[in-house]
Every structure is written in structure tokens, then in C-alpha cells.
Amino acid sequence: MKTLWELFAAFFRIGAFTFGGGYAMLSLIQKEVVENKKWATDEEVLDYYAVAQCTPGVIAVNTATFIGYKQKGVLGAVAATFGVVLPSLIIISIIAAVLQNFMQYEIVQHIFGGIRVAVAVLIVNAVITMGKKAIIDRLCVILSISAFLVSVIFPSVSPVFIVLAAALTGIVTMKRGGADK
């Protein structure tokens, strides 16, 4: 049985070893929560991501809160949320205190350039991993391509509307007997 400390520690590790924000954390959350700890299934984590994307706040923090709540109720949500946020708070406090003194150095600029590339790769990895599990039939292929095109062609459209449209499509097709496999 998981303890509050286990929830805190797992999400502290995720928060401490992920650069690039919420989306970069998704693959680490999946690996830790589904594969290592078995606290949730791939489908549950995908559902958490979808809801977390539609709620105010950072997707990784929202996801940690949902997972913590599922495991240990309100105290679990607090432990997981605090765990995933604390490393960033510590790191940002340190960086803010010293960064201005070092930003003019070319090597620091190159370090941040390398970190940006690594973050992009982590985000692509999360998308591929989630896509392999989420795209299960023809309807899912159509929805994923449509959502991608809408977000690229109309970048000002809120992801909330894209998710709601996909959910509505799922409800409509469910009432009609589902999509072809």
C-alpha cells in the first residue's frame, strides 16, 4: 500500500528530473505511475491528461493532483502536488538569485539552447507514447488528425474546445454503436 511519503517522493523525482514544464513531464509520469508503481493504467493516465489539459493550471501539476487523489484522497492530492512543485520552486529560487550574473556568458546560452532541444524531444516522446495507446481505431485516427490540424491552422483555438469537440464526437459515435475497428 502506498503512503503519502511514496506519493510525495515519486512526484518529487518527476519534478526534479524534468526540464521544460508540464508536457515534458508526461512521459516520466507515465513511466513512474503506470510502469514502475502501477498506480494507474495507461488509459487512466490518458484520461487524467485530458482532464488536466482542460482545467486551469499546469498539466503535470493537475495530473499529479488527480493521481494523488485517486491513491490517497485529499492528502494524497496535496502530497503529490507538493512533490511535483517543490523541485521547481527550489530550482527557480536558486536560478533567479544567480542567473542574471551568468546570462551574458556564451556557454550559459549554449546550455539553455541544448536544454530547449532536449525538452522538445521529451514532448515528442510523450506525444508518441500517448498516441500509441490512445489511437485505437479509425475514429481515433480521424480525431487525432483533426485536432492536430485545428491546433496548427487555428492556434488561437483553446485546447478546451478541441477536447470538448472530441468528447462530443465520442458520445455521438457511442450512441450510434461505436466506430469501426
Side-chain angles (χ1 to χ4, degrees):
M1 176 151 192
K2 63 226 93 332
T3 65
L4 293 174
W5 172 250
E6 287 176 293
L7 281 167
F8 172 83
F11 283 100
F12 185 89
R13 279 191 306 278
I14 290 167
F17 295 106
T18 307
F19 293 94
Y23 289 105
M25 289 182 179
L26 297 182
S27 61
L28 285 178
I29 290 173
Q30 190 277 338
K31 184 166 187 63
E32 183 72 13
V33 171
V34 176
E35 295 175 21
N36 296 346
K37 301 291 187 183
K38 304 202 182 325
W39 290 342
T41 65
D42 283 319
E43 292 76 23
E44 288 173 320
V45 171
L46 286 171
D47 291 342
Y48 295 146
Y49 293 160
V51 173
Q53 177 65 43
C54 295
T55 54
V58 179
I59 188 170
V61 174
N62 293 347
T63 302
T65 304
F66 293 141
I67 293 168
Y69 185 82
K70 178 188 177 212
Q71 297 304 309
K72 286 295 217 182
V74 173
L75 290 178
V78 170
T81 302
F82 189 59
V84 82
V85 169
L86 185 59
S88 295
L89 182 64
I90 293 168
I91 291 168
I92 287 176
S93 296
I94 293 168
I95 289 174
V98 299
L99 187 59
Q100 292 299 68
N101 298 330
F102 297 101
M103 277 309 289
Q104 71 272 13
Y105 295 113
E106 189 176 345
I107 190 163
V108 173
Q109 294 170 6
H110 287 291
I111 289 170
F112 280 108
I115 289 172
R116 282 191 297 273
V117 171
V119 166
V121 170
L122 288 172
I123 292 170
V124 168
N125 181 42
V127 168
I128 291 169
T129 300
M130 290 187 310
K132 286 179 182 177
K133 294 177 172 77
I135 302 174
I136 56 173
D137 58 24
R138 197 175 325 159
L139 176 63
C140 293
V141 171
I142 292 167
L143 286 174
S144 62
I145 291 170
S146 299
F148 175 77
L149 290 174
V150 167
S151 65
V152 169
I153 295 170
F154 305 104
S156 62
V157 171
S158 171
V160 172
F161 295 121
I162 296 171
V163 171
L164 289 175
L168 183 61
T169 303
I171 291 169
V172 168
T173 59
M174 177 184 76
K175 290 187 178 199
R176 292 191 349 207
D180 296 317
K181 298 248 179 191

